[in-house]
Amino acid sequence: MQSKGAKIAFIVILIAFAIGAYWFYNHGPFAEMNNEAKKAYQNYVKTEATIVSQESNGRIGKGANTIWTMQFKNVKGEVVTATMDKNALPTKENGDKVNIYYNAENLNAIISEEHYNEVMH
C-alpha cells in the first residue's frame, strides 16, 4: 500500500498540471490565436449554402482533405461560388444545404458553422 505522503504528492502534481494546462490554454499561445480568430470572424455573416461539388486535395493520409465548392447568396442577393478546404462536412453530399459564415469583405473566405461556433463561443 502506498504511503499517505506519496498520495498527497501525486494529487499536488495533478493539480499543478491542471493549473498549468488551464493557464496555457487561456493565456498562452492558444489564447492569442483564438483572440485573433475572433477578431477576424467579427465581420462574418451567416447564410445557407448549397454544396455544389467536393473533391480530394490529392494527398493521402494525414494531409488528406476535402475541398468543398459551395454556392450562397451574399447580403446583396448575388449568387457567390466559393471553396472551403476543411474536413468540416464529412457526412454531406452534393446538393445538401448547410449553414456557413462568410467574410462580407472577402466572399472567398468561408467557414463552417461548427468552426465559427467553436471559435466564437
Side-chain angles (χ1 to χ4, degrees):
M1 186 157 193
Q2 294 180 357
S3 70
K4 188 174 183 177
K7 289 179 183 178
I8 292 172
F10 181 71
I11 291 171
V12 169
I13 290 170
L14 282 177
I15 292 171
F17 178 76
I19 291 170
Y22 175 81
W23 178 88
F24 189 75
Y25 183 75
N26 290 309
H27 302 287
F30 290 121
E32 186 176 319
M33 289 186 303
N34 197 25
N35 289 336
E36 289 174 11
K38 280 184 180 182
K39 288 178 188 175
Y41 292 168
Q42 286 178 348
N43 295 330
Y44 279 49
V45 178
K46 183 178 181 177
T47 191
E48 185 178 74
T50 303
I51 298 172
V52 177
S53 69
Q54 51 188 302
E55 60 187 69
S56 171
N57 66 351
R59 296 182 183 167
I60 298 173
K62 192 174 183 178
N65 213 352
T66 303
I67 300 170
W68 304 87
T69 302
M70 305 204 181
Q71 283 188 336
F72 59 94
K73 289 187 178 181
N74 64 9
V75 291
K76 297 177 185 175
E78 303 166 332
V79 176
V80 178
T81 302
T83 60
M84 181 171 57
D85 65 345
K86 297 182 174 83
N87 280 335
L89 311 167
T91 61
K92 300 296 182 183
E93 299 294 330
N94 293 347
D96 286 354
K97 304 253 187 229
V98 294
N99 290 324
I100 62 164
Y101 284 82
Y102 70 94
N103 186 338
E105 298 170 2
N106 177 8
L107 299 176
N108 292 319
I110 63 174
I111 58 171
S112 68
E113 182 177 37
E114 292 80 14
H115 179 73
Y116 181 86
N117 289 338
E118 182 180 299
V119 170
M120 297 303 279
H121 297 109

